[in-house]
Amino acid sequence: MDSNSMLFFLQKLSLSMDVTALLAGAPVANPSSMPTTTLGLESVIQSLVIKAAGEIVTSIPNYPQYAAQNLATQTVGQQNLAFNLSGNGSNNAFQQSTMSICSHPLVGFFEPTLGQNPLHVWSLPNQAIELEITLADPSTVVLAAGLCNEIQVSNIRVGVAAVSPPADMQVSALNALANGQSLFYDFVRPTQVKAACLGSTTNRFLFHMSGVRSLIGFTACFVDDTKAGTQTVDKALQFSNQTLSTWQIQLGSGLTIPRGLAGFTHSSTDRQTFLVSQLALNDYMNIGNVTQFDFADYTTKKFTFGYAFEDRSEGSQAALAFTGTDGLFRINTTHTTAPPSTVRLSLTYYENVTLAISSGGVAVI
């Protein structure tokens, strides 16, 4: 997407494409009977990279997992929208061999924080934003062997609302750049990291945050490599709680959340983790709009937990800073049964960052 004169409202961006299921080079014969992941056809995207003037501003290597976690905390209306746009929630998303899907990727770069002004695309050195998509292996989308061995994407369209800035605004911005000043675009950047379980009922996961200036929060899930590599397993429903009993955040040598020796609790009858995570990712008034699903499914198929230091109504000053610390973010867990060595804790953390645009280039700070 490029422009030498426009402002882009990225919160109104839409990504559309035609997706075709093929077998031996020909469209599949009975697409409606072909089982697919309940994530919908947005799952054809394996990774998503967004660049501004060649600088990577967002990189999500496992987009299906990222989308599954995000959609699990969206409102009923948003989930219904995802169902109608890309088949989310359906286990046979290919009603025809070629389906047209549309989405607004749930990434912070397309949702500037605190309702700020649109992005001055014209001020970027190459006056362009790039979206790089890597397609997923068909076996992660279609859940039965021998039905589809190729997925083809065509007719990719990106739509975005844009306006021409007033002349005085553009002149003022050009003067600022010429005088060595910068233009700023604040957004939330997600990062995916993972750590292996220790083969014990007690685990301590360490994540390095020394380069993070403002941590909003995180979501986490357990991923079993044996399930992730099995075609018949729905990749949107592979997240077991791994018999989790308690979990606790540790910052430095002594500070824990929650405070004390005991952590947040979870079991088949204990819903504290579910409530804490929903409160962290939303607010209490919004929880009632979050989609209803069976708690047994949550704990065996859709388990995710998280915590936030800044809610959606606050500015970045409310987030967590690591200044003066060892830069390590620890999550301690206890389990009724030790998770196998094939299990990893996959963490997506969210941080406040700023795209700084100057006459010399761009940088994410």
Side-chain angles (χ1 to χ4, degrees):
M1 301 177 290
D2 63 332
S3 175
N4 60 8
S5 62
M6 305 293 280
L7 304 176
F8 282 4
F9 289 89
L10 295 176
Q11 59 267 48
K12 298 182 183 294
L13 179 142
S14 65
L15 173 64
S16 306
M17 64 185 76
D18 295 338
V19 181
T20 302
L22 303 171
L23 180 63
V28 296
N30 298 300
S32 61
S33 63
M34 187 168 61
T36 59
T37 171
T38 52
L39 184 58
L41 293 184
E42 203 170 355
S43 62
V44 302
I45 300 174
Q46 176 59 41
S47 67
L48 175 67
V49 175
I50 305 169
K51 296 180 180 180
E55 177 80 10
I56 295 177
V57 294
T58 296
S59 177
I60 304 176
N62 191 333
Y63 188 77
Q65 179 182 306
Y66 175 84
Q69 286 187 293
N70 274 274
L71 284 167
T73 61
Q74 299 301 309
T75 65
V76 173
Q78 289 168 316
Q79 293 221 351
N80 286 339
L81 183 63
F83 171 78
N84 286 294
L85 294 178
S86 61
N88 176 260
S90 170
N91 60 7
N92 57 344
F94 277 106
Q95 291 300 301
Q96 304 176 46
S97 58
T98 296
M99 298 289 293
S100 182
I101 66 169
C102 186
S103 71
H104 174 76
L106 298 171
V107 293
F109 191 71
F110 297 151
E111 297 291 340
T113 55
L114 299 180
Q116 68 178 64
N117 291 327
L119 178 63
H120 293 250
V121 177
W122 62 268
S123 67
L124 298 173
N126 68 349
Q127 300 176 328
I129 298 172
E130 303 168 65
L131 274 68
E132 294 183 0
I133 294 173
T134 301
L135 296 182
D137 189 289
S139 65
T140 65
V141 180
V142 178
L143 306 184
L147 301 181
C148 172
N149 61 5
E150 181 181 354
I151 289 179
Q152 194 174 83
V153 169
S154 60
N155 195 22
I156 300 176
R157 296 93 68 194
V158 177
V160 64
V163 297
S164 297
D168 58 341
M169 177 190 291
Q170 197 160 12
V171 169
S172 176
L174 284 170
N175 288 337
L177 293 171
N179 291 330
Q181 298 177 353
S182 298
L183 303 178
F184 299 105
Y185 181 79
D186 298 322
F187 65 99
V188 175
R189 179 171 64 185
T191 301
Q192 292 179 313
V193 291
K194 56 191 177 183
C197 289
L198 302 176
S200 168
T201 55
T202 301
N203 289 275
R204 173 175 291 187
F205 303 98
L206 302 180
F207 301 98
H208 294 270
M209 301 281 180
S210 57
V212 177
R213 65 172 173 85
S214 179
L215 180 67
I216 297 171
F218 72 90
T219 57
C221 61
F222 294 105
V223 178
D224 190 331
D225 288 340
T226 58
K227 289 185 177 181
T230 302
Q231 182 170 6
T232 55
V233 174
D234 188 338
K235 304 310 180 290
L237 303 175
Q238 64 171 319
F239 309 114
S240 160
N241 69 349
Q242 295 296 329
T243 69
L244 180 72
S245 299
T246 67
W247 62 278
Q248 187 178 57
I249 301 166
Q250 182 179 342
L251 305 169
S253 59
L255 177 61
T256 61
I257 302 174
R259 186 177 180 181
L261 297 177
F264 296 116
T265 57
H266 174 77
S267 73
S268 60
T269 57
D270 185 339
R271 310 189 179 196
Q272 184 186 55
T273 288
F274 176 74
L275 178 59
V276 168
S277 300
Q278 291 297 335
L279 285 172
L281 299 171
N282 297 279
D283 58 60
Y284 190 72
M285 297 304 293
N286 191 45
I287 286 180
N289 292 323
V290 174
T291 185
Q292 297 182 7
F293 56 85
D294 186 86
F295 185 75
D297 279 352
Y298 166 72
T299 201
T300 59
K301 300 177 182 178
K302 300 179 179 180
F303 185 76
T304 183
F305 65 97
Y307 195 84
F309 304 95
E310 167 197 327
D311 75 24
R312 295 176 179 179
S313 67
E314 297 176 305
S316 60
Q317 70 277 2
L320 177 67
F322 287 89
T323 305
T325 73
D326 59 7
L328 290 177
F329 185 82
R330 302 168 176 86
I331 298 177
N332 304 322
T333 66
T334 63
H335 306 256
T336 304
T337 304
S341 59
T342 56
V343 172
R344 295 169 288 114
L345 181 70
S346 181
L347 185 87
T348 302
Y349 66 86
Y350 302 85
E351 58 178 317
N352 290 302
V353 294
T354 299
L355 178 66
I357 307 169
S358 68
S359 60
V362 299
V364 178
I365 57 176

